[in-house]
Short mmCIF file of all heavy atoms in Angstrom, two decimals:
data_model
loop_
_atom_site.label_atom_id
_atom_site.label_comp_id
_atom_site.label_asym_id
_atom_site.label_seq_id
_atom_site.Cartn_x
_atom_site.Cartn_y
_atom_site.Cartn_z
N SER A 558 21.13 19.55 44.56
CA SER A 558 22.06 19.45 43.37
C SER A 558 22.99 18.21 43.42
O SER A 558 23.46 17.79 42.41
CB SER A 558 22.85 20.75 43.30
OG SER A 558 23.67 20.92 44.40
N ALA A 559 23.21 17.68 44.69
CA ALA A 559 24.15 16.54 44.73
C ALA A 559 23.47 15.28 44.17
O ALA A 559 24.21 14.20 43.97
CB ALA A 559 24.50 16.32 46.24
N GLU A 560 22.27 15.24 43.92
CA GLU A 560 21.59 14.05 43.43
C GLU A 560 22.02 13.77 41.98
O GLU A 560 22.38 14.70 41.24
CB GLU A 560 20.01 14.09 43.41
CG GLU A 560 19.49 14.43 44.84
CD GLU A 560 19.44 13.18 45.68
OE1 GLU A 560 19.79 12.11 45.28
OE2 GLU A 560 19.21 13.34 46.93
N SER A 561 21.89 12.59 41.61
CA SER A 561 22.22 12.24 40.16
C SER A 561 21.14 12.86 39.24
O SER A 561 20.06 13.15 39.66
CB SER A 561 22.24 10.68 39.97
OG SER A 561 20.90 10.16 40.09
N LEU A 562 21.49 13.05 38.01
CA LEU A 562 20.62 13.61 36.97
C LEU A 562 19.26 12.72 36.92
O LEU A 562 18.21 13.31 36.92
CB LEU A 562 21.26 13.63 35.62
CG LEU A 562 20.34 14.15 34.46
CD1 LEU A 562 19.81 15.53 34.80
CD2 LEU A 562 21.13 14.07 33.14
N VAL A 563 19.47 11.42 36.97
CA VAL A 563 18.34 10.56 36.87
C VAL A 563 17.40 10.78 38.07
O VAL A 563 16.18 10.89 37.94
CB VAL A 563 18.80 9.02 36.87
CG1 VAL A 563 17.64 8.13 37.08
CG2 VAL A 563 19.43 8.78 35.49
N HIS A 564 17.94 10.94 39.26
CA HIS A 564 17.14 11.09 40.50
C HIS A 564 16.54 12.55 40.39
O HIS A 564 15.31 12.74 40.80
CB HIS A 564 18.01 11.02 41.71
CG HIS A 564 17.23 10.88 42.98
ND1 HIS A 564 16.55 9.82 43.36
CD2 HIS A 564 17.03 11.89 43.88
CE1 HIS A 564 15.86 10.05 44.54
NE2 HIS A 564 16.15 11.33 44.80
N ARG A 565 17.28 13.55 39.96
CA ARG A 565 16.74 14.91 39.92
C ARG A 565 15.50 14.94 38.94
O ARG A 565 14.51 15.61 39.26
CB ARG A 565 17.78 15.88 39.43
CG ARG A 565 18.88 16.15 40.47
CD ARG A 565 19.75 17.33 40.16
NE ARG A 565 20.26 17.38 38.86
CZ ARG A 565 21.55 17.21 38.50
NH1 ARG A 565 22.48 16.94 39.36
NH2 ARG A 565 21.84 17.33 37.24
N ARG A 566 15.57 14.26 37.80
CA ARG A 566 14.46 14.24 36.88
C ARG A 566 13.19 13.69 37.51
O ARG A 566 12.11 14.23 37.43
CB ARG A 566 14.83 13.44 35.63
CG ARG A 566 15.78 14.13 34.68
CD ARG A 566 16.21 13.17 33.51
NE ARG A 566 15.06 12.93 32.62
CZ ARG A 566 14.54 11.71 32.43
NH1 ARG A 566 15.03 10.67 33.06
NH2 ARG A 566 13.50 11.53 31.67
N PHE A 567 13.40 12.57 38.28
CA PHE A 567 12.31 11.96 38.92
C PHE A 567 11.76 12.87 39.99
O PHE A 567 10.50 13.11 40.15
CB PHE A 567 12.69 10.61 39.62
CG PHE A 567 11.60 9.88 40.24
CD1 PHE A 567 10.85 8.99 39.50
CD2 PHE A 567 11.34 10.05 41.60
CE1 PHE A 567 9.87 8.29 40.16
CE2 PHE A 567 10.28 9.36 42.21
CZ PHE A 567 9.53 8.54 41.49
N THR A 568 12.58 13.49 40.73
CA THR A 568 12.15 14.42 41.87
C THR A 568 11.38 15.64 41.35
O THR A 568 10.48 16.11 41.95
CB THR A 568 13.39 14.85 42.76
OG1 THR A 568 14.00 13.64 43.23
CG2 THR A 568 12.95 15.63 43.97
N VAL A 569 11.87 16.27 40.26
CA VAL A 569 11.13 17.37 39.67
C VAL A 569 9.75 16.98 39.34
O VAL A 569 8.76 17.75 39.76
CB VAL A 569 11.82 17.86 38.39
CG1 VAL A 569 10.92 18.81 37.55
CG2 VAL A 569 13.14 18.59 38.72
N LEU A 570 9.47 15.86 38.78
CA LEU A 570 8.13 15.43 38.41
C LEU A 570 7.35 15.01 39.70
O LEU A 570 6.07 15.31 39.86
CB LEU A 570 8.14 14.20 37.53
CG LEU A 570 8.56 14.72 36.11
CD1 LEU A 570 9.10 13.45 35.26
CD2 LEU A 570 7.39 15.38 35.34
N HIS A 571 7.94 14.43 40.69
CA HIS A 571 7.34 14.11 41.95
C HIS A 571 6.87 15.46 42.63
O HIS A 571 5.76 15.49 43.11
CB HIS A 571 8.39 13.39 42.87
CG HIS A 571 7.97 13.19 44.27
ND1 HIS A 571 7.48 11.91 44.73
CD2 HIS A 571 7.89 13.97 45.33
CE1 HIS A 571 7.23 12.04 46.01
NE2 HIS A 571 7.39 13.30 46.36
N GLU A 572 7.68 16.41 42.69
CA GLU A 572 7.35 17.62 43.36
C GLU A 572 6.35 18.38 42.52
O GLU A 572 5.37 19.01 43.06
CB GLU A 572 8.57 18.51 43.52
CG GLU A 572 9.59 17.97 44.51
CD GLU A 572 9.02 17.74 45.92
OE1 GLU A 572 8.07 18.42 46.35
OE2 GLU A 572 9.44 16.74 46.53
N PHE A 573 6.30 18.30 41.22
CA PHE A 573 5.32 18.85 40.34
C PHE A 573 3.94 18.29 40.66
O PHE A 573 2.94 19.03 40.72
CB PHE A 573 5.68 18.69 38.86
CG PHE A 573 4.69 19.40 37.92
CD1 PHE A 573 4.57 20.78 37.94
CD2 PHE A 573 3.84 18.67 37.15
CE1 PHE A 573 3.63 21.44 37.12
CE2 PHE A 573 2.94 19.25 36.30
CZ PHE A 573 2.89 20.66 36.31
N LYS A 574 3.82 17.02 40.95
CA LYS A 574 2.62 16.40 41.32
C LYS A 574 2.01 17.01 42.62
O LYS A 574 0.81 17.22 42.77
CB LYS A 574 2.75 14.85 41.49
CG LYS A 574 1.47 14.11 42.01
CD LYS A 574 0.32 14.26 41.06
CE LYS A 574 -0.83 13.32 41.49
NZ LYS A 574 -2.15 13.79 41.09
N HIS A 575 2.96 17.27 43.58
CA HIS A 575 2.49 17.92 44.81
C HIS A 575 1.89 19.35 44.44
O HIS A 575 0.85 19.74 45.12
CB HIS A 575 3.59 18.10 45.77
CG HIS A 575 4.08 16.82 46.41
ND1 HIS A 575 3.19 15.87 46.92
CD2 HIS A 575 5.30 16.37 46.65
CE1 HIS A 575 3.87 14.89 47.36
NE2 HIS A 575 5.25 15.12 47.32
N ILE A 576 2.42 19.97 43.46
CA ILE A 576 1.87 21.30 43.13
C ILE A 576 0.50 21.12 42.43
O ILE A 576 -0.45 21.90 42.80
CB ILE A 576 2.82 22.02 42.15
CG1 ILE A 576 4.14 22.40 42.87
CG2 ILE A 576 2.13 23.27 41.51
CD1 ILE A 576 5.26 22.97 41.98
N ILE A 577 0.35 20.13 41.57
CA ILE A 577 -0.92 19.90 40.96
C ILE A 577 -1.96 19.63 42.01
O ILE A 577 -3.08 20.19 41.99
CB ILE A 577 -0.89 18.71 40.04
CG1 ILE A 577 0.07 18.92 38.84
CG2 ILE A 577 -2.25 18.23 39.58
CD1 ILE A 577 0.44 17.61 38.09
N ASP A 578 -1.62 18.83 43.05
CA ASP A 578 -2.57 18.37 44.02
C ASP A 578 -2.84 19.40 45.10
O ASP A 578 -3.89 19.28 45.87
CB ASP A 578 -2.02 17.15 44.77
CG ASP A 578 -1.99 15.89 43.86
OD1 ASP A 578 -2.58 15.90 42.77
OD2 ASP A 578 -1.44 14.93 44.30
N HIS A 579 -2.01 20.37 45.29
CA HIS A 579 -2.09 21.27 46.48
C HIS A 579 -3.59 21.75 46.77
O HIS A 579 -4.00 21.57 47.89
CB HIS A 579 -1.17 22.41 46.22
CG HIS A 579 -1.25 23.44 47.43
ND1 HIS A 579 -0.65 23.09 48.69
CD2 HIS A 579 -1.78 24.67 47.50
CE1 HIS A 579 -0.92 24.10 49.49
NE2 HIS A 579 -1.51 25.04 48.82
N PRO A 580 -4.25 22.34 45.88
CA PRO A 580 -5.60 22.89 46.34
C PRO A 580 -6.65 21.75 46.38
O PRO A 580 -7.77 22.02 46.80
CB PRO A 580 -5.91 23.84 45.12
CG PRO A 580 -5.23 23.35 44.00
CD PRO A 580 -3.94 22.76 44.51
N LEU A 581 -6.33 20.53 45.98
CA LEU A 581 -7.33 19.49 45.92
C LEU A 581 -7.07 18.38 46.89
O LEU A 581 -7.70 17.32 46.77
CB LEU A 581 -7.36 18.95 44.50
CG LEU A 581 -7.57 19.97 43.40
CD1 LEU A 581 -7.23 19.41 42.03
CD2 LEU A 581 -8.96 20.54 43.40
N SER A 582 -6.13 18.55 47.75
CA SER A 582 -5.67 17.44 48.55
C SER A 582 -6.78 16.78 49.42
O SER A 582 -6.77 15.55 49.68
CB SER A 582 -4.48 17.76 49.52
OG SER A 582 -4.82 18.75 50.28
N GLY A 583 -7.77 17.59 49.89
CA GLY A 583 -8.89 17.02 50.60
C GLY A 583 -9.74 16.00 49.79
O GLY A 583 -10.28 15.14 50.47
N ARG A 584 -9.75 16.14 48.56
CA ARG A 584 -10.47 15.12 47.74
C ARG A 584 -9.56 13.89 47.36
O ARG A 584 -10.13 12.88 47.11
CB ARG A 584 -10.90 15.79 46.36
CG ARG A 584 -12.05 16.75 46.52
CD ARG A 584 -12.51 17.08 45.16
NE ARG A 584 -12.44 18.57 45.02
CZ ARG A 584 -12.53 19.16 43.89
NH1 ARG A 584 -12.61 18.48 42.74
NH2 ARG A 584 -12.50 20.48 43.87
N LEU A 585 -8.24 14.11 47.31
CA LEU A 585 -7.35 13.12 46.87
C LEU A 585 -6.81 12.22 47.87
O LEU A 585 -6.47 11.07 47.61
CB LEU A 585 -6.19 13.83 46.12
CG LEU A 585 -6.58 14.56 44.86
CD1 LEU A 585 -5.33 15.39 44.38
CD2 LEU A 585 -7.03 13.63 43.72
N TYR A 586 -6.78 12.65 49.16
CA TYR A 586 -6.02 11.90 50.13
C TYR A 586 -6.84 11.78 51.46
O TYR A 586 -7.53 12.79 51.77
CB TYR A 586 -4.68 12.54 50.43
CG TYR A 586 -3.86 12.70 49.13
CD1 TYR A 586 -3.52 13.90 48.59
CD2 TYR A 586 -3.44 11.57 48.46
CE1 TYR A 586 -2.83 14.05 47.42
CE2 TYR A 586 -2.74 11.69 47.23
CZ TYR A 586 -2.45 12.92 46.77
OH TYR A 586 -1.72 13.02 45.59
N ASP A 587 -6.67 10.77 52.18
CA ASP A 587 -7.20 10.54 53.50
C ASP A 587 -6.69 11.70 54.35
O ASP A 587 -5.52 11.97 54.32
CB ASP A 587 -6.68 9.20 54.06
CG ASP A 587 -7.31 8.79 55.28
OD1 ASP A 587 -7.48 9.68 56.21
OD2 ASP A 587 -7.75 7.63 55.47
N GLU A 588 -7.52 12.32 55.09
CA GLU A 588 -7.08 13.55 55.78
C GLU A 588 -6.44 13.34 57.12
O GLU A 588 -5.87 14.20 57.76
CB GLU A 588 -8.36 14.41 56.05
CG GLU A 588 -8.89 15.03 54.76
CD GLU A 588 -10.02 15.97 54.94
OE1 GLU A 588 -10.31 16.24 56.06
OE2 GLU A 588 -10.64 16.38 53.87
N ARG A 589 -6.31 12.00 57.52
CA ARG A 589 -5.53 11.72 58.69
C ARG A 589 -4.08 11.90 58.42
O ARG A 589 -3.52 11.43 57.40
CB ARG A 589 -5.75 10.27 59.15
CG ARG A 589 -7.15 9.96 59.66
CD ARG A 589 -7.40 8.60 59.90
NE ARG A 589 -7.39 7.86 58.58
CZ ARG A 589 -7.44 6.53 58.53
NH1 ARG A 589 -7.41 5.78 59.50
NH2 ARG A 589 -7.49 6.01 57.23
N ALA A 590 -3.40 12.78 59.20
CA ALA A 590 -2.12 13.31 58.85
C ALA A 590 -1.06 12.29 58.41
O ALA A 590 -0.48 12.40 57.35
CB ALA A 590 -1.48 14.01 60.12
N TYR A 591 -0.83 11.24 59.19
CA TYR A 591 0.21 10.26 58.78
C TYR A 591 -0.24 9.44 57.53
O TYR A 591 0.64 9.16 56.73
CB TYR A 591 0.54 9.40 59.93
CG TYR A 591 1.22 10.17 61.14
CD1 TYR A 591 0.53 10.37 62.29
CD2 TYR A 591 2.52 10.66 60.89
CE1 TYR A 591 1.20 11.12 63.24
CE2 TYR A 591 3.14 11.37 61.87
CZ TYR A 591 2.42 11.62 63.02
OH TYR A 591 3.04 12.32 64.08
N VAL A 592 -1.52 9.13 57.43
CA VAL A 592 -1.96 8.45 56.20
C VAL A 592 -1.77 9.27 55.08
O VAL A 592 -1.25 8.87 54.00
CB VAL A 592 -3.44 7.99 56.48
CG1 VAL A 592 -3.90 7.33 55.17
CG2 VAL A 592 -3.52 7.03 57.59
N ALA A 593 -2.27 10.59 55.15
CA ALA A 593 -2.13 11.47 53.98
C ALA A 593 -0.74 11.66 53.56
O ALA A 593 -0.49 11.68 52.34
CB ALA A 593 -2.83 12.73 54.40
N LEU A 594 0.14 11.88 54.42
CA LEU A 594 1.62 12.09 54.08
C LEU A 594 2.10 10.91 53.24
O LEU A 594 2.67 11.13 52.16
CB LEU A 594 2.49 12.32 55.30
CG LEU A 594 3.92 12.54 54.99
CD1 LEU A 594 4.08 13.83 54.22
CD2 LEU A 594 4.69 12.66 56.30
N GLY A 595 1.91 9.73 53.76
CA GLY A 595 2.44 8.56 53.01
C GLY A 595 1.66 8.42 51.77
O GLY A 595 2.32 8.05 50.71
N GLU A 596 0.41 8.59 51.69
CA GLU A 596 -0.29 8.41 50.46
C GLU A 596 0.10 9.42 49.40
O GLU A 596 0.29 9.09 48.17
CB GLU A 596 -1.91 8.53 50.72
CG GLU A 596 -2.73 8.24 49.62
CD GLU A 596 -4.22 8.23 49.87
OE1 GLU A 596 -4.55 8.74 51.03
OE2 GLU A 596 -4.98 7.83 49.05
N ARG A 597 0.24 10.68 49.79
CA ARG A 597 0.70 11.75 48.94
C ARG A 597 2.05 11.40 48.30
O ARG A 597 2.22 11.62 47.08
CB ARG A 597 0.91 13.04 49.68
CG ARG A 597 -0.38 13.76 49.92
CD ARG A 597 -0.08 15.13 50.54
NE ARG A 597 -1.34 15.75 50.99
CZ ARG A 597 -1.73 16.01 52.26
NH1 ARG A 597 -0.88 15.80 53.24
NH2 ARG A 597 -2.86 16.54 52.45
N GLU A 598 2.97 10.88 49.04
CA GLU A 598 4.27 10.56 48.52
C GLU A 598 4.19 9.30 47.62
O GLU A 598 4.89 9.37 46.50
CB GLU A 598 5.24 10.17 49.66
CG GLU A 598 5.53 11.33 50.63
CD GLU A 598 6.01 12.62 49.92
OE1 GLU A 598 6.95 12.49 49.04
OE2 GLU A 598 5.44 13.71 50.14
N LEU A 599 3.37 8.35 47.85
CA LEU A 599 3.21 7.18 46.94
C LEU A 599 2.63 7.64 45.62
O LEU A 599 3.02 7.24 44.53
CB LEU A 599 2.30 6.10 47.61
CG LEU A 599 2.88 5.29 48.65
CD1 LEU A 599 1.78 4.43 49.30
CD2 LEU A 599 3.99 4.39 48.15
N VAL A 600 1.64 8.57 45.71
CA VAL A 600 0.92 8.98 44.42
C VAL A 600 1.90 9.86 43.66
O VAL A 600 1.94 9.86 42.43
CB VAL A 600 -0.45 9.65 44.76
CG1 VAL A 600 -1.01 10.28 43.55
CG2 VAL A 600 -1.36 8.70 45.46
N ALA A 601 2.69 10.70 44.31
CA ALA A 601 3.62 11.53 43.64
C ALA A 601 4.73 10.77 42.95
O ALA A 601 5.11 11.00 41.83
CB ALA A 601 4.18 12.65 44.55
N ASP A 602 5.16 9.65 43.65
CA ASP A 602 6.09 8.71 43.00
C ASP A 602 5.49 8.08 41.80
O ASP A 602 6.15 8.00 40.73
CB ASP A 602 6.56 7.69 43.99
CG ASP A 602 7.65 8.11 44.99
OD1 ASP A 602 8.14 9.29 44.80
OD2 ASP A 602 8.01 7.34 45.84
#
């Protein structure tokens, strides 16, 4: 809640993308843990 309204709007959509991707992450991202984490964040942004 301490984030600015502009940042909160962006973050809601970023997190929503993680929800969309959840059951499909094996198809969408490199499965190596550190690569996948970074890639997921870039794509959600």
Side-chain angles (χ1 to χ4, degrees):
S558 60
E560 302 287 352
S561 69
L562 176 60
V563 168
H564 191 77
R565 290 192 314 250
R566 289 175 64 245
F567 184 87
T568 304
V569 166
L570 288 160
H571 172 104
E572 295 302 329
F573 183 65
K574 175 61 172 156
H575 289 315
I576 293 169
I577 296 167
D578 292 351
H579 180 71
L581 307 166
S582 62
R584 286 191 240 162
L585 296 170
Y586 306 112
D587 187 317
E588 294 184 7
R589 293 172 291 171
Y591 292 110
V592 174
L594 178 63
E596 189 176 10
R597 282 185 187 116
E598 296 307 311
L599 285 172
V600 173
D602 278 356

